[in-house]
Amino acid sequence: MGPKTRILDATMLVFRRHGFRRSSIEQVAEAANLTRQALYHHFESKEALFRAVIERVHESAIAAEDAAVAATEQAGGDLADILASGMNARMKTMIASFDGSPHIEELYSEHLVHARDLYQTYAARYAERLVATVERTARRLNLALPQGLSPAEFARLVEMAVHGSKSQHPAMQPADAFLKDMTMMVRTLCAGAVPKSQKPPAARAATKAKPSRSRAGAR
């Protein structure tokens, strides 16, 4: 184990135990079995340590989401299965990072104070991955998305559903209730996606009629 890994492991332990505000460089150095000077060689401040921990949490969440999506795709899951599994893996990883800490709400709020730019960067990365997953799945299963939405528009609604679930469960607690509500909302959105061959007859008739009206107008 390298020194940075040991420091970040110790930092996570200290932040979970004491929260951000009551934690100190000295506590992290002691937990990592290093001197303050050795720790400062790698991280210049408590804020830098916190940012590194947050970045590590997001990277772990991305890896978990990618693995879950790939496994569900390989198992032949439908759009709802794939998106629900990916979202659950992402959120479970984040929840597990600070699970059991009495300071969990403080840690999430400090995340937005000291690492807002990281939050925005990773939000964009999550969105890009979600759009790519929707595009890939819709193409593979020949799906028509609800109300003719584009993959990007549909992915945005899925992320909005996740944020809505977070607003009902601050700090994503209790975790079981949050994950249940989030999964239900994602699956409800996906329920409107159907194979293109199963479009309602009226919709198919309207699609076929469009070229005829065009030709009639041309004459």
Side-chain angles (χ1 to χ4, degrees):
M1 180 189 296
K4 280 195 173 182
T5 299
R6 194 163 85 232
I7 290 169
L8 290 179
D9 287 346
T11 302
M12 181 66 79
L13 178 67
V14 170
F15 284 153
R16 287 175 65 158
R17 185 176 296 165
H18 302 289
F20 175 79
R21 300 182 192 111
R22 294 188 179 184
S23 293
S24 68
I25 287 283
E26 290 79 8
Q27 290 168 330
V28 174
E30 182 180 355
N33 197 26
L34 294 170
T35 64
R36 279 186 61 181
Q37 289 72 20
L39 192 149
Y40 277 126
H41 178 71
H42 297 283
F43 296 95
E44 63 184 12
S45 65
K46 182 174 76 170
E47 289 73 20
L49 280 168
F50 190 61
R51 285 175 60 85
V53 163
I54 294 301
E55 191 167 10
R56 187 196 217 188
V57 169
H58 281 300
E59 288 294 337
S60 297
I62 282 178
E65 182 175 17
D66 286 351
V69 165
T72 310
E73 286 181 344
Q74 188 172 9
D78 61 16
L79 182 63
D81 294 332
I82 292 166
L83 296 190
S85 68
M87 288 293 184
N88 267 276
R90 182 206 301 182
M91 296 305 169
K92 282 180 179 178
T93 300
M94 289 186 171
I95 291 168
S97 299
F98 299 117
D99 190 36
S101 171
H103 308 284
I104 189 165
E105 291 193 24
E106 177 201 334
L107 290 168
Y108 279 118
S109 65
E110 292 294 335
H111 168 201
L112 296 178
V113 173
H114 298 286
R116 181 173 291 277
D117 60 318
L118 289 178
Y119 173 83
Q120 293 169 339
T121 295
Y122 280 100
R125 288 182 63 184
Y126 291 129
E128 288 171 2
R129 278 172 156 71
L130 183 57
V131 171
T133 299
V134 173
E135 287 178 339
R136 188 171 61 251
T137 305
R139 185 169 56 250
R140 178 172 61 85
L141 300 178
N142 196 31
L143 293 178
L145 296 175
Q147 300 180 14
L149 294 170
S150 70
E153 291 167 336
F154 183 74
R156 185 174 66 87
L157 292 182
V158 172
E159 290 285 4
M160 287 172 64
V162 174
H163 288 303
S165 299
K166 285 182 180 178
S167 70
Q168 293 298 310
H169 302 281
M172 297 182 281
Q173 298 295 317
D176 288 346
F178 162 71
L179 292 169
K180 180 181 178 181
D181 285 353
M182 181 195 70
T183 300
M184 180 172 59
M185 293 181 75
V186 170
R187 287 189 173 278
T188 299
L189 280 171
C190 291
V194 297
K196 292 179 179 178
S197 60
Q198 293 180 14
K199 279 186 179 180
R204 290 200 299 270
T207 302
K208 289 179 181 177
K210 286 180 182 178
S212 298
R213 287 196 298 270
S214 255
R215 287 195 297 271
R219 291 198 298 268

